Amino acid sequence: MADDKKADSLVDTLLAVGRLGLMMLGIVGIAVEIFRENGLLKQAFKSLFDSPTGLIMIPIGILAIYLFARWLNASPDGKATRRGDLPMYAMMGVGGFFLYRLITTGSF
């Protein structure tokens, strides 16, 4: 006989919806900041390609992203870790920032 599983309580469901909402708000907020006029993407490309130091930073940045992703997905001694939850919590923090900014200023 299979294990009987109970449904989540109302509080658990509301917390999950809140976490999802904060993450989505973080994603939308970052997208707005990156793609707006004179946004982060335009500034980043301008600073990267204006100097030789910026060009050196491209492979260093790619290596850092690769090593971070490898650290997130590595499981020491085959045990389960919660390292993979770090991007979710970071995005929830970003979503909280944009929610605060939306409430206080009325815009992203």
Side-chain angles (χ1 to χ4, degrees):
M1 186 162 121
D3 292 330
D4 292 332
K5 295 194 178 211
K6 293 184 178 184
D8 288 341
S9 68
L10 178 62
V11 174
D12 290 337
T13 303
L14 291 176
L15 287 173
V17 168
R19 285 191 295 264
L20 179 68
L22 278 176
M23 286 182 8
M24 294 301 292
L25 192 59
I27 292 169
V28 169
I30 288 174
V32 167
E33 287 294 320
I34 287 175
F35 296 113
R36 69 184 163 100
E37 188 69 30
N38 285 331
L40 294 175
L41 187 65
K42 190 173 190 178
Q43 292 174 5
F45 279 137
K46 185 178 178 183
S47 67
L48 277 177
F49 295 119
D50 278 350
S51 68
T53 308
L55 291 175
I56 294 171
M57 293 305 291
I58 293 172
I60 292 173
I62 291 171
L63 178 65
I65 291 170
Y66 169 75
L67 291 174
F68 180 69
R70 188 172 168 160
W71 177 77
L72 278 179
N73 294 323
S75 59
D77 302 328
K79 296 179 184 175
T81 65
R82 298 194 52 129
R83 286 188 220 168
D85 292 343
L86 288 176
M88 178 188 71
Y89 293 129
M91 193 56 65
M92 285 173 56
V94 170
F97 167 75
F98 283 114
L99 180 63
Y100 173 76
R101 201 160 93 178
L102 182 65
I103 290 171
T104 57
T105 65
S107 67
F108 277 114

